[in-house]
């Protein structure tokens, strides 16, 4: 069945056609590992995971590459601030990032490529650009000449008139400053011990060249899908296209798929506003990472999502309710093809997960439907919400003690005490049911 994806290059939903039948190559801009990933970053990686799972569901084989930006302006600044070596800083945050992915049921990339381990590939690419006349040497680095690449503005739909003649050394800049950008930055004192002594000069790479070199190394000069959040469209992805296509003379990427931003009620998440949350902060407040995953699936991946704890509470309750209903549903070993078809239509229509969730709820509420469990099992391959996993909850020792005391009271036929103990247990958020197999303890919602 055809998969439609919104392609930023064409600004419409395109029917996906792979370069090699049944296979896709995906490149995702990974995190800049100078600090913790926040839940906004993680929204982007969940969307990316859904994209992969939809292709897996459709029977594709995936080669997924994600980079770790472990050298750039921000990482160097970070290592100075924490007064540790660059590698020490980036390894620490890379490890925490990968743990977050695990917690969120995000399937790991096949290849994780660190920028610092691909300096040679970047240098080779810069040499090609120098040779072809797209790059030039200035006193503080080697720059890409934006005006030489005629399609420079095609992804971000930039106006030609705006393209300036000056240079910019910083990795990040806004649309008002379309200038020649740095491919290689010559060493300055501020870089400390972060440099590579190479035949194009002593220095370090710019951020943009990292992704061009690593994606083409693993996926070829032209590959299927490149992802990131929408903020990367300019300058990062615009510059990736310019560098890669100038060097190879071939189309770099067929489908550019960008996710929407996660914002807070008061606008951007920013350290100065004190509203930046990590996954761990949510866990400390009693939410499970999958509550957050559920929340992100309730909004289409391209739409902005405004985060609030009210929304997260709703997501948590919905997920809990889903699991409760599923827990009470019998597995009759069948599948419901009608619902699966509806589900496939939704996920293949530019990953419409809010609609896919609505179909799941409809299935559960449909008293006539059969084959619910096996159908949900298949759907959950895409949702990744562990819908069929029985909750592994541990009874806290204080609750277990009260349960034992109550059993004892019941044996002694002291029903007054037994009821009092039941109330105490209830106040702690647990409920007990006396079944023929013995007493069952569960959490109240
Ligand atoms: P960074 O670590 O800053 O390079 O960002 C990692 C990824 O997170 C990139 O794809 C960014 O575009 C994305 N990103 C950054 N902030 C947000 C946000 N608030 N919401 C969604 N994605 C974001
Ligand atoms: Zn990138």
């Amino acid at each position: 069945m055809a998969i439609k994806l919104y392609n930023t290059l064409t600004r419409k939903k395109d029917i996906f056609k792979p370069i090699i039948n049944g296979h896709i190559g995906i490149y995702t801009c990974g995190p800049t590992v100078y600090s913790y990933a926040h839940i906004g970053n993680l929204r982007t990686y969940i969307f990316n995971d859904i994209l992969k799972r939809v292709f897996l569901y459709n029977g594709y084989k995936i080669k997924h590459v994600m980079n770790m930006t472990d050298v750039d302006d921000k990482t160097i600044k970070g290592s100075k601030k924490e007064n540790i070596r660059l590698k020490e800083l980036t390894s620490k945050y890379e490890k925490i990032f990968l743990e977050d992915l695990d917690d969120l049921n995000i399937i790991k990339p096949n290849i994780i490529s660190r920028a610092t381990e691909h300096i040679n590939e970047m240098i080779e690419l810069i040499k090609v650009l120098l040779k072809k006349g797209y790059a030039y040497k200035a006193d503080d680095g080697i720059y890409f000449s934006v005006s030489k690449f005629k399609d420079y503005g095609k992804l971000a739909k930039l106006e030609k008139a705006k393209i300036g003649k000056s240079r910019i050394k910083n990795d990040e800049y806004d649309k008002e400053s379309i200038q020649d950008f740095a491919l290689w930055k010559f060493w300055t004192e501020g870089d400390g011990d972060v440099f590579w002594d190479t035949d194009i000069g002593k220095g370090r790479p710019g951020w943009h060249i990292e992704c061009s070199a690593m994606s083409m190394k693993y996926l070829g000069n032209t590959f299927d899908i490149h992802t990131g959040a929408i903020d990367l469209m300019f300058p990062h992805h615009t510059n990736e296209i310019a560098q890669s296509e100038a060097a190879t003379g071939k189309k770099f990427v067929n489908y550019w798929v960008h996710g929407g931003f996660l914002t807070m009620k008061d606008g951007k998440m920013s350290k100065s506003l004190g509203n930046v949350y990590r996954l761990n902060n949510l866990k400390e407040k009693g939410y499970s990472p999958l509550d957050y995953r559920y929340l992100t699936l309730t909004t289409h991946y391209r739409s902005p999502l405004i985060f609030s704890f009210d929304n997260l509470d709703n997501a948590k309750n919905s997920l809990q309710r889903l699991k409760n209903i599923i827990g009470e549903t019998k597995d009759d070993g069948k599948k419901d093809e009608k619902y699966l078809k509806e589900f496939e239509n939704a996920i293949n229509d530019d990953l419409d997960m809010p609609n896919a969730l609505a179909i799941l709820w409809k299935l559960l509420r449909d008293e006539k439907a059969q084959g619910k469990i096996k159908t949900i099992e298949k759907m959950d391959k895409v949702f990744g919400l562990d819908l069929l996993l029985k909750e592994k909850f541990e009874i806290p020792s204080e609750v277990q003690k009260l349960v034992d005391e109550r059993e004892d009271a019941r044996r002694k036929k002291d029903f007054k005490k037994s009821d009092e103990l039941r109330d105490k247990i209830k106040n702690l958020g647990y409920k007990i049911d006396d079944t023929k197999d013995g007493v069952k303890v569960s959490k109240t919602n």
Side-chain angles (χ1 to χ4, degrees):
M1 198 191 148
I3 301 175
K4 278 187 274 172
L5 283 180
Y6 186 88
N7 186 354
T8 309
L9 259 186
T10 59
R11 298 287 197 278
K12 63 180 173 55
K13 284 189 209 172
D14 288 336
I15 292 187
F16 179 77
K17 290 196 195 74
I19 296 169
I20 303 169
N21 250 343
H23 291 257
I24 47 164
I26 308 183
Y27 184 85
T28 301
C29 287
T32 311
V33 277
Y34 72 110
S35 178
Y36 300 106
H38 56 60
I39 56 174
N41 303 129
L42 295 172
R43 179 190 183 201
T44 295
Y45 297 108
I46 297 171
F47 128 65
N48 208 83
D49 186 54
I50 294 292
L51 173 75
K52 282 172 66 178
R53 285 170 178 264
V54 167
F55 276 94
L56 288 171
Y57 187 98
N58 282 275
Y60 280 82
K61 294 241 174 345
I62 299 181
K63 183 170 178 186
H64 180 214
V65 182
M66 180 165 79
N67 71 296
M68 292 286 157
T69 300
D70 61 351
V71 56
D72 77 329
D73 300 346
K74 287 195 268 190
T75 43
I76 293 175
K77 228 194 210 160
S79 79
K80 274 203 192 144
K81 202 169 121 207
E82 294 200 22
N83 204 16
I84 51 176
R85 304 278 311 258
L86 184 65
K87 183 76 197 158
E88 211 182 315
L89 175 95
T90 58
S91 311
K92 171 178 151 187
Y93 290 113
E94 176 182 318
K95 185 166 170 281
I96 296 168
F97 174 73
L98 294 175
E99 286 165 4
D100 284 351
L101 296 193
D102 256 347
D103 272 353
L104 288 162
N105 273 354
I106 292 175
I107 302 169
K108 291 267 168 56
N110 305 87
I111 295 169
I112 290 179
S113 60
R114 294 180 195 90
T116 51
E117 293 166 7
H118 295 78
I119 300 294
N120 285 341
E121 286 82 350
M122 297 173 207
I123 290 169
E124 287 315 307
L125 193 56
I126 294 170
K127 281 184 180 168
V128 174
L129 292 171
L130 281 166
K131 202 162 150 228
K132 290 194 165 186
Y134 286 104
Y136 62 91
K137 218 169 179 164
D139 50 1
D140 59 350
I142 299 175
Y143 284 82
F144 186 92
S145 176
V146 167
S147 59
K148 293 250 166 70
F149 184 71
K150 80 171 183 347
D151 281 338
Y152 183 73
K154 70 177 171 188
L155 183 73
K157 310 277 182 246
L158 304 171
E159 294 163 38
K160 268 238 144 34
K162 273 193 174 174
I163 297 178
K165 286 200 166 42
S166 51
R167 287 193 299 271
I168 184 133
K169 196 178 178 191
N170 297 345
D171 285 329
E172 288 181 271
Y173 45 92
D174 59 30
K175 269 199 187 162
E176 303 317 310
S177 120
I178 304 165
Q179 304 174 57
D180 292 354
F181 59 89
L183 299 166
W184 189 256
K185 305 180 186 195
F186 294 146
W187 182 83
T188 61
E189 252 171 60
D191 293 339
D193 62 356
V194 182
F195 63 84
W196 284 263
D197 220 344
T198 76
D199 51 2
I200 58 166
K202 173 178 167 179
R204 61 180 172 98
W207 172 34
H208 316 295
I209 197 75
E210 299 183 358
C211 284
S212 281
M214 292 188 281
S215 59
M216 291 198 290
K217 168 172 178 163
Y218 295 107
L219 297 169
N221 290 345
T222 305
F223 59 91
D224 297 297
I225 300 180
H226 195 312
T227 67
I230 194 66
D231 62 319
L232 297 189
M233 179 173 70
F234 182 86
H236 187 51
H237 291 162
T238 295
N239 292 351
E240 276 189 50
I241 294 176
Q243 298 160 151
S244 306
E245 298 193 355
T248 68
K250 298 198 175 105
K251 186 177 185 188
F252 176 44
V253 171
N254 287 337
Y255 302 85
W256 285 90
V257 186
H258 288 111
F261 247 46
L262 180 94
T263 55
M264 309 298 288
K265 262 210 298 282
D266 36 11
K268 236 182 114 120
M269 260 194 299
S270 83
K271 291 217 169 91
S272 57
L273 289 169
N275 62 1
V276 176
Y277 293 101
R278 296 171 47 195
L279 193 61
N280 246 8
N281 299 136
L282 305 190
K283 281 161 69 176
E284 283 157 10
K285 288 178 188 283
Y287 299 95
S288 110
L290 297 185
D291 296 335
Y292 179 63
R293 185 174 170 109
Y294 186 97
L295 171 64
T296 68
L297 302 188
T298 59
T299 300
H300 190 267
Y301 79 89
R302 279 191 286 118
S303 304
L305 169 58
I306 301 174
F307 177 83
S308 71
F309 282 97
D310 282 348
N311 289 345
L312 188 59
D313 281 333
N314 287 340
K316 185 184 172 68
N317 291 337
S318 300
L319 182 58
Q320 191 57 56
R321 258 193 301 139
L322 264 182
K323 292 190 74 158
N324 289 346
I325 302 171
I326 292 167
E328 286 157 10
T329 308
K330 271 226 284 300
D331 183 3
D332 56 12
K334 298 180 209 160
K335 262 193 293 217
D336 188 310
E337 295 301 336
K338 183 175 85 49
Y339 275 98
L340 278 178
K341 190 83 219 146
E342 237 188 287
F343 175 76
E344 271 169 47
N345 285 337
I347 61 172
N348 287 354
D349 180 13
D350 196 27
L351 325 178
D352 191 347
M353 299 315 290
N355 193 9
L357 278 178
I359 293 161
L360 168 66
W361 278 104
K362 196 167 84 176
L363 167 70
L364 281 172
R365 289 184 179 130
D366 183 345
E367 283 168 16
K368 292 203 197 88
Q370 292 192 325
K372 289 184 180 176
I373 293 296
K374 287 282 178 291
T375 308
I376 293 166
E377 199 174 2
K378 214 160 166 221
M379 291 177 175
D380 201 34
K381 294 254 185 302
V382 179
F383 291 128
L385 288 169
D386 289 347
L387 292 174
L388 294 157
L389 203 70
K390 294 269 177 292
E391 201 135 4
K392 298 188 280 182
F393 86 91
E394 279 171 23
I395 305 167
S397 57
E398 57 173 335
V399 175
Q400 189 59 53
K401 206 167 140 254
L402 296 173
V403 172
D404 293 343
E405 276 177 38
R406 181 175 166 275
E407 281 297 272
D408 200 41
R410 272 162 54 88
R411 262 194 305 272
K412 292 178 182 149
K413 305 228 181 303
D414 185 349
F415 295 114
K416 187 167 166 277
K417 185 161 181 204
S418 152
D419 285 347
E420 279 168 15
L421 285 161
R422 178 196 285 271
D423 287 344
K424 269 194 188 166
I425 293 165
K426 197 170 152 210
N427 288 339
L428 290 170
Y430 292 81
K431 106 177 150 55
I432 42 182
D433 292 301
D434 299 304
T435 73
K436 62 177 173 21
D437 302 324
V439 60
K440 278 221 171 99
V441 185
S442 53
K443 269 191 196 164
T444 49
N445 295 316

